[in-house]
Structure formats: C-alpha cells, structure tokens
Amino acid sequence: MDLQPHTTPSGFKLPSIHSLPPFFSKQENLETLAISLDHWTRLILSYARFKRIFYLRVEDAEVTGGDWDEVLRNTRINRRVRPEYLSFILSQLVAKNLAVYDPIKQDRSVLLYWRTPDEWAEVLHSWATSTGQLNTILTFYEIIEPAVESQLSGIPVAILRKAIAVLAKTARAQSIGVADGEGVRFFATHAR
C-alpha cells in the first residue's frame, strides 16, 4: 500500500491519509473519529478553495465524475465515502461554523466557508478599493459577475451578504436596495 501524497488530475495534492481504507468509513473509536474528521475538514476546505467550489452535497458521494469525485473516492484502493458518512461530516462542518446548510431547513447540502465571512469581507473591501469603487453603488451582480474576473467572481449571494454585513459593522459598507435587486456602497477604511 502506497501511503504517499497523491496528485490528482486537476493538480490537487491529496494527503497520504487519503490512501488508507479506514479513512473512508466512520470510525467507532471516538479519538480516531475526531482525528479522521479533522483530516476530512482540512481536505474538504482546501480542495474547495483550490477548485473554487462553494457547495458540497450528500449526493456528491454517489456521483461519479462530479466536482468532488477526486476527494470523495480513491479508485486506487477501491474506496469511497458513503452518503451517510458524508452527511455526518457535513453536520460537523456546520457545528464548527465552517459551513451552513444551504438551503436552510435541510441537512443534505452545505455552503462551505473555505474563507470565513470576515475573510471575504476583507477581500471584498480590498477589491472595492483597488478598483476605485468606493462611494459608488454597485449591484450584487456587478460584484459577482464583474467585467474583469476577480476573487469575487461567482461568490454565492449568501456569502456576499454576510461579508457586507461584516463591513457594515465597521462602517466600511452600506447595503442599499436598487431597482434590479440588492446593492452596496463601500466606504474608505477609517483610522482606528
């Protein structure tokens, strides 16, 4: 058995633990389970960030060739995460505030926080500052689908709202209703 890190076809480097068959099953020993969950948490969030994937669904454990196939399966050892175990992993991500159920009132799909809302707020404000958008009203669409691709391209509206709320608490942004949806105005950072 080869317990070396493995680079996937997409270029992501899987940790050596991904080659251990028990890693793909929920462990009975609580200490072993905690270690395994820690590894799954880091693996899922780093892969999501690498591939810019925002959602993980229980169904992804059953989809061959999907966005998550490289992580949720290891064909070299003929193992995959079962949906029940992935559901448990998702619940742990939510419990640690590293994800939220989206849509709410269900437990089969999560919005991942591979950057926290606070981190997204800083990215958002830096983008607004560097592109000369301070004191300008922008629609959410203009941020999510900018003319020039940015770190914010494709960001889910739910994360964008949370990032704006973080900025609003420090008087660096203001939510504004606009004719075709939601908007925001950014302000310069105040000296503290």
Side-chain angles (χ1 to χ4, degrees):
M1 182 182 310
D2 183 17
L3 290 181
Q4 299 298 315
H6 176 75
T7 302
T8 67
S10 71
F12 182 77
K13 191 172 188 175
L14 291 166
S16 57
I17 196 168
H18 196 264
S19 295
L20 285 174
F23 184 58
F24 291 86
S25 303
K26 185 176 178 186
Q27 300 301 303
E28 297 298 321
N29 179 290
L30 294 180
E31 190 174 316
T32 305
L33 177 62
I35 292 167
S36 181
L37 286 171
D38 183 55
H39 282 286
W40 272 115
T41 297
R42 283 187 275 130
L43 177 57
I44 287 169
L45 294 177
S46 62
Y47 186 75
R49 186 177 193 134
F50 177 80
K51 298 275 289 194
R52 289 193 52 82
I53 302 171
F54 290 96
Y55 292 94
L56 178 56
R57 297 167 184 86
V58 172
E59 291 75 26
D60 289 324
E62 300 171 307
V63 176
T64 303
D67 287 339
W68 287 97
D69 203 37
E70 294 180 322
V71 170
L72 300 179
R73 293 180 192 282
N74 186 332
T75 56
R76 293 173 295 121
I77 59 170
N78 195 29
R79 290 288 189 269
R80 70 180 176 93
V81 174
R82 300 270 180 224
E84 307 78 41
Y85 186 35
L86 183 55
S87 179
F88 178 73
I89 293 169
L90 297 183
S91 73
Q92 298 306 299
L93 288 168
V94 169
K96 294 176 182 176
N97 291 320
L98 297 171
V100 291
Y101 288 117
D102 190 2
I104 57 173
K105 297 186 181 179
Q106 56 79 44
D107 61 3
R108 298 190 58 83
S109 174
V110 297
L111 175 60
L112 297 166
Y113 289 158
W114 44 267
R115 276 193 177 129
T116 65
D118 287 350
E119 292 168 331
W120 278 115
E122 294 310 314
V123 169
L124 180 58
H125 196 269
S126 293
W127 172 82
T129 302
S130 68
T131 58
Q133 305 293 342
L134 297 180
N135 295 310
T136 303
I137 297 173
L138 295 169
T139 65
F140 282 13
Y141 178 81
E142 290 171 307
I143 296 169
I144 294 170
E145 300 292 334
V148 176
E149 192 167 326
S150 77
Q151 293 183 63
L152 299 164
S153 297
I155 185 175
V157 170
I159 291 178
L160 182 59
R161 279 190 192 112
K162 287 181 185 258
I164 291 168
V166 168
L167 293 173
K169 288 179 185 175
T170 58
R172 295 186 291 161
Q174 174 187 20
S175 293
I176 298 172
V178 294
D180 53 348
E182 298 174 85
V184 60
R185 179 181 303 165
F186 297 100
F187 305 106
T189 305
H190 298 286
R192 293 179 188 175

